[in-house]
């Protein structure tokens, strides 16, 4: 399949499916018929996959009138395994999906898009999660992750970096908008999309970002997240002035020259995961340094954040508006994700997690954990 991608230069890009050029078209590029959220931070270990599992599954429960699609754009495919039942079961189900001749995964979808210069039908590659995991709502769908996404990355890069032919669509833009076209093909009155991502700003992460209208940014409760937040904005929007050597080669520069829309920050999500039997750490879910960095970014460039009915004018208002905290999201949340079971479906009991057969989850933990998830999910617009 990957050799086919590398040999696909003889195909011409369909300009009708690519947005190009004028100011009017640039305005079109910023139009989304539904909200598509990327859960992304370029710092590892922030709990992106676990947060994706809980946010998407709970959002589906609270919005039964909508179809909720999770697109797993991380080669590790952790959120897919959690949604598919967690543990050994989730891993086995994922391997089945990725082993079809046409994988029912992001690899299958991207391959079809590039080889056939089309916007594939999402129904041909996604699954209704409840058919494999009866703990989740029937309106939750998954375009699963795939370990071969990492192997596929050079082929996607080659496609994006082909020399454009005069009068034909720009290959870099066409490739980067594969998932934007997928989102636009959905019925905006019925769907909400969540992209799980890899911390690396690889080509597949760029595709997820370009397919999104908004960002959910998980951060740890430590000062290193301040540096990660600063780097996140630099990766998406570039630096001023651009670096004299590599400035023109960055994603931000290439997207900027094409007037492509960059997703706006909807929420920064502070989390404080604790070990299964350990004591909770003695700090808040969100550090002051990270809060200061976000406030600084907002005051300098408020358009990089999703608009609110009443824009905040002081730091405290900003934090209440743009920061969600999972400070009480501890053992119960981690165990629930490991078993592929939303917190609302968990009961008080002992659970096996990895090599520990008796991790206790009590009712008060479940209630507090669910309240923490709801405090974030209730701030996510359909």
């Amino acid at each position: 399949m990957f050799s086919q991608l590398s040999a696909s230069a003889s195909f011409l890009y369909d300009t009708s499916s690519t947005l190009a050029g004028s100011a009017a078209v640039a305005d079109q590029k910023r139009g989304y018929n539904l909200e598509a959220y990327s859960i992304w931070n370029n710092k590892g270990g922030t709990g992106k996959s676990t947060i994706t599992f809980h946010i998407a599954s709970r959002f589906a429960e609270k919005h039964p009138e909508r179809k909720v699609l999770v697109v797993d754009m991380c080669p590790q495919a952790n959120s897919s395994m959690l949604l598919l039942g967690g543990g050994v079961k989730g891993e086995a189900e994922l391997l089945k999906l990725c082993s079809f001749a046409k994988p029912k995964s992001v690899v299958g979808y991207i391959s079809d898009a590039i080889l056939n210069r089309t916007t594939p039908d999402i129904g041909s590659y996604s699954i209704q999660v409840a058919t494999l995991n009866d703990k989740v709502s029937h309106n939750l769908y998954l375009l699963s992750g795939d370990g071969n996404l990492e192997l596929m990355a050079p082929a996607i890069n080659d496609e994006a970096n082909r020399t454009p032919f005069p009068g034909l669509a720009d290959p870099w833009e066409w490739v980067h908008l594969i998932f934007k076209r997928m989102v636009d093909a959905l019925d905006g009155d019925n769907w909400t999309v969540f992209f799980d991502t890899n911390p690396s700003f690889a080509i597949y992460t760029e595709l997820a970002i370009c397919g999104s209208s908004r960002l959910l940014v998980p951060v740890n409760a430590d000062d290193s997240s301040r540096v990660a937040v600063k780097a996140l904005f630099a990766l998406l929007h570039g630096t001023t002035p651009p670096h004299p050597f590599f400035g023109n080669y960055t994603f931000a520069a290439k997207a900027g020259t094409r007037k492509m829309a960059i997703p706006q920050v909807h929420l920064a999500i502070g989390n404080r995961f604790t070990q299964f039997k350990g004591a909770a750490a003695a700090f808040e879910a969100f550090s002051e340094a990270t809060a200061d960095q976000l406030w600084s970014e907002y005051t300098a460039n408020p358009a990089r954040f999703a608009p609110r009915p009443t824009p905040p004018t002081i730091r405290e208002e900003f934090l209440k508006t743009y920061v969600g905290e999972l400070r009480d999201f501890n053992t119960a949340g981690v165990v629930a994700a490991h078993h592929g079971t939303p917190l609302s479906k968990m009961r008080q009991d002992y659970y096996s997690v990895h090599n520990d057969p008796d991790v206790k989850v009590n009712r008060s933990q479940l209630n507090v954990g669910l309240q923490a998830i709801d405090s974030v999910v209730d701030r996510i617009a359909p």
Side-chain angles (χ1 to χ4, degrees):
M1 179 178 291
F2 304 144
S3 61
Q4 285 180 288
L5 287 180
S6 299
S8 61
S10 60
F11 286 85
L12 299 180
Y13 289 90
D14 176 8
T15 55
S16 67
S17 62
T18 300
L19 301 165
S22 68
V25 175
D27 287 339
Q28 268 187 292
K29 287 184 186 179
R30 288 176 169 78
Y32 291 80
N33 63 354
L34 55 86
E35 296 296 357
Y37 297 87
S38 271
I39 296 92
W40 180 63
N41 188 341
N42 59 306
K43 181 179 184 292
T46 58
K48 286 183 289 294
S49 295
T50 303
I51 289 174
T52 299
F53 168 80
H54 283 292
I55 285 179
S57 60
R58 185 58 172 164
F59 187 93
E61 288 178 345
K62 299 190 77 151
H63 295 275
E65 77 286 357
R66 299 190 71 81
K67 295 178 180 178
V68 178
L69 173 66
V70 175
V71 181
D72 188 352
M73 291 296 287
C74 179
Q76 297 175 28
N78 288 327
S79 61
S80 295
M81 287 187 277
L82 300 179
L83 287 166
L84 292 169
V88 175
K89 178 183 185 301
E91 183 177 1
E93 297 293 357
L94 175 67
L95 289 174
K96 291 178 187 177
L97 294 175
C98 297
S99 297
F100 290 114
K102 284 189 174 182
K104 293 181 75 68
S105 70
V106 292
V107 165
Y109 187 91
I110 295 170
S111 298
D112 189 356
I114 293 178
L115 287 172
N116 296 304
R117 297 296 187 266
T118 188
T119 300
D121 176 10
I122 188 62
S124 298
Y125 293 96
S126 64
I127 63 157
Q128 186 178 16
V129 182
T131 61
L132 298 176
N133 178 8
D134 62 5
K135 303 295 194 302
V136 303
S137 298
H138 287 270
N139 58 327
L140 185 59
Y141 296 80
L142 172 67
L143 180 57
S144 83
D146 192 320
N148 284 326
L149 186 59
E150 193 71 69
L151 300 177
M152 186 188 200
I156 304 173
N157 267 313
D158 282 352
E159 284 296 318
N161 292 320
R162 292 196 186 282
T163 301
F165 293 95
L168 297 178
D170 173 10
W172 192 92
E173 183 175 2
W174 191 92
V175 168
H176 277 77
L177 293 180
I178 284 175
F179 286 102
K180 174 64 165 63
R181 292 190 295 273
M182 179 203 79
V183 169
D184 285 345
L186 299 173
D187 180 353
D189 291 332
N190 293 316
W191 288 88
T192 302
V193 181
F194 295 95
F195 289 90
D196 189 19
T197 61
N198 187 272
S200 167
F201 204 51
I203 183 72
Y204 42 79
T205 305
E206 294 177 6
L207 266 60
I209 294 297
C210 290
S212 307
S213 56
R214 300 197 173 184
L215 292 176
L216 302 174
V217 183
V219 297
N220 291 126
D222 56 55
D223 288 349
S224 67
S225 287
R226 177 189 66 80
V227 178
V229 166
K230 187 174 182 178
L232 178 148
F233 283 98
L235 287 168
L236 294 179
H237 300 282
T239 58
T240 303
H243 192 278
F245 173 56
F246 61 78
N248 292 331
Y249 295 89
T250 64
F251 166 84
K254 293 178 180 180
T257 59
R258 293 164 172 84
K259 295 180 167 43
M260 291 169 63
I262 302 299
Q264 297 169 302
V265 173
H266 185 75
L267 276 180
I269 303 173
N271 65 60
R272 189 188 66 179
F273 293 113
T274 57
Q275 296 300 314
F276 303 124
K277 292 188 173 180
F283 44 65
E284 299 293 324
F286 214 86
S287 77
E288 286 296 311
T290 305
D292 285 342
Q293 186 64 46
L294 281 165
W295 171 240
S296 175
E297 296 286 350
Y298 177 80
T299 55
N301 297 285
R304 294 177 181 178
F305 291 74
R308 297 294 197 265
T310 304
T313 57
I314 61 175
R315 182 179 182 274
E316 289 70 23
E317 290 176 354
F318 169 79
L319 295 179
K320 289 178 181 178
T321 303
Y322 286 103
V323 172
E325 293 190 83
L326 297 177
R327 69 175 64 193
D328 296 310
F329 186 72
N330 44 44
T331 301
V334 177
V335 173
H338 180 79
H339 285 267
T341 304
L343 278 169
S344 63
K345 302 292 177 61
M346 292 277 287
R347 67 180 188 277
Q348 179 171 303
D349 206 339
Y350 288 89
Y351 293 86
S352 62
V353 179
H354 302 303
N355 294 323
D356 195 335
D358 61 345
V359 178
K360 184 178 181 179
V361 177
N362 59 47
R363 174 49 55 188
S364 63
Q365 286 177 313
L366 293 172
N367 290 340
V368 169
L370 189 59
Q371 289 170 8
I373 289 295
D374 282 348
S375 72
V376 172
V377 169
D378 289 346
R379 298 168 69 182
I380 297 175

